[in-house]
Amino acid sequence: MLALLLTAVAGCGLGGDGPEETVQAFAAAWAGGDDGAAAALTDDPAAATALLTSVRGSLAPAGLAVQVGQVRTASDTATASLDLRWDLGQG
């Protein structure tokens, strides 16, 4: 489910930025705990907000680090690979 959301991120420059800038902004917002801001950068903010909030609530992480991997564009769609490191505060 999470992978489906992340393929929608950076829909070729939502908000006027290019895909790379958009996915960097998504990663920074999500890692910083601002699920709503991260979700706003997807092509379905309502669904993304619900999913990101649910994931964060279920895991209750002490922290989240998000590293952007490859960003791919094709026609009017962009997809990105993200490396997520959840600190669950258990060791």
Side-chain angles (χ1 to χ4, degrees):
M1 195 173 194
L2 184 57
L4 295 176
L5 166 71
L6 297 180
T7 61
V9 171
C12 278
L14 296 174
D17 289 331
E20 291 82 7
E21 293 82 7
T22 303
V23 77
Q24 288 288 351
F26 174 91
W30 199 22
D34 194 344
D35 299 334
L41 296 168
T42 71
D43 64 348
D44 190 345
T49 297
L51 179 59
L52 295 178
T53 302
S54 175
V55 169
R56 189 177 303 277
S58 294
L59 293 177
L64 169 61
V66 182
Q67 179 70 37
V68 176
Q70 184 179 26
V71 178
R72 298 163 300 283
T73 59
S75 299
D76 62 347
T77 302
T79 59
S81 300
L82 300 175
D83 179 30
L84 307 175
R85 305 284 173 146
W86 296 94
D87 176 359
L88 301 178
Q90 298 177 3

